[in-house]
Amino acid sequence: GQQLNQSPQSMFIQEGEDVSMNCTSSSIFNTWLWYKQDPGEGPVLLIALYKAGELTSNGRLTAQFGITRKDSFLNISASIPSDVGIYFCAADSGTYKYIFGTGTRLKVLA
Amino acid sequence: DSGVTQTPKHLITATGQRVTLRCSPRSGDLSVYWYQQSLDQGLQFLIQYYNGEERAKGNILERFSAQQFPDLHSELNLSSLELGDSALYFCASSMRGTGFLSSGANVLTFGAGSRLTVL
């Protein structure tokens, strides 16, 4: 079945550093979403991407929909302590169900 | 507040029991999704309803069932509970079922989740 490979699985970074994470698949998708989840909370949408090649920013966050439609990446610039959490990618191919990546656990060292 | 309401927030029960989780979607959203998140795991898609009809099924066990009512709220029923069913159960809603490319129409908005503990 369809699967999203998200990497890295976890990362520790220093405050102020930039962060990159990505999701890849062997399947083609027509929507990519990036979410952040704080402990014990529901995921919150960060960025939505709808077209291959699309590059979208939301404050310090930037995400791109891969040109092959099989991948997406998320960058966080100048990380701050509140960026701590789990970041999930999600993708839909029009099959009426979103699948989620396994998550990237981000920890920021002050 | 995301606008998606889930109750109860916490639930502790015993093996073999049955529970019902409830979800009210965001105002204007017609589609409801259920996801299961076990400890330190990703989100596993269970089932989706759109305007009262089942639209897609994921890895949902036969012991689990769901429905969406005319007022669009949804319930997830979990029966013959096992220890391994302990997890966070999330409901999400969207304006439409997926397959529509108009921006914003098919993003998922999540509730705060229901934490189920089976002892």
Side-chain angles (χ1 to χ4, degrees):
Chain A
Q2 295 176 319
Q3 191 172 328
L4 297 183
N5 302 305
Q6 191 169 348
S7 66
Q9 199 169 15
S10 63
M11 54 195 315
F12 287 82
I13 59 168
Q14 293 287 337
E15 184 177 354
E17 287 184 351
D18 296 344
V19 174
S20 286
M21 59 190 78
N22 66 74
C23 267
T24 61
S25 177
S26 57
S27 302
I28 290 175
F29 297 101
N30 57 23
T31 303
W32 283 92
L33 307 177
W34 283 92
Y35 286 86
K36 177 176 184 264
Q37 185 180 25
D38 291 327
E41 303 289 328
V44 174
L45 181 69
L46 300 174
I47 291 179
L49 302 160
Y50 299 100
K51 286 171 51 177
E54 180 180 355
L55 185 70
T56 297
S57 293
N58 177 9
R60 293 179 296 106
L61 278 60
T62 301
Q64 184 160 28
F65 191 143
I67 197 73
T68 64
R69 295 170 60 196
K70 295 181 180 180
D71 59 0
S72 177
F73 73 75
L74 174 71
N75 287 340
I76 306 173
S77 62
S79 58
I80 59 178
S82 63
D83 290 334
V84 165
I86 306 175
Y87 291 80
F88 289 102
C89 61
D92 168 51
S93 57
T95 57
Y96 302 108
K97 58 183 182 182
Y98 278 95
I99 58 172
F100 278 74
T102 49
T104 293
R105 285 150 183 77
L106 180 64
K107 299 191 179 181
V108 180
L109 306 173
Chain B
D1 183 359
S2 67
V4 178
T5 304
Q6 287 189 250
T7 58
K9 195 163 175 61
H10 300 279
L11 190 55
I12 301 174
T13 189
T15 55
Q17 295 298 304
R18 172 191 168 95
V19 299
T20 297
L21 310 180
R22 183 189 167 100
C23 169
S24 293
R26 202 176 51 159
S27 177
D29 285 355
L30 300 178
S31 200
V32 169
Y33 301 72
W34 286 98
Y35 285 84
Q36 180 193 55
Q37 186 177 39
S38 300
L39 186 64
D40 291 335
Q41 299 296 311
L43 291 144
Q44 297 297 317
F45 171 72
L46 296 178
I47 198 163
Q48 182 213 358
Y49 284 84
Y50 174 70
N51 205 18
E53 291 186 7
E54 182 183 305
R55 184 58 68 92
K57 245 181 180 178
N59 300 321
I60 187 166
L61 299 172
E62 285 192 11
R63 299 183 287 108
F64 296 179
S65 65
Q67 59 184 122
Q68 185 179 29
F69 295 86
D71 66 352
L72 301 178
H73 90 272
S74 177
E75 293 181 357
L76 178 67
N77 301 298
L78 315 174
S79 62
S80 302
L81 285 168
E82 302 174 0
L83 296 177
D85 297 328
S86 295
L88 267 168
Y89 290 85
F90 286 105
C91 167
S93 70
S94 70
M95 194 180 303
R96 303 185 185 208
T98 56
F100 295 91
L101 297 180
S102 55
S103 63
N106 57 343
V107 297
L108 302 184
T109 301
F110 282 83
S114 292
R115 181 176 294 279
L116 173 65
T117 302
V118 182
L119 301 175

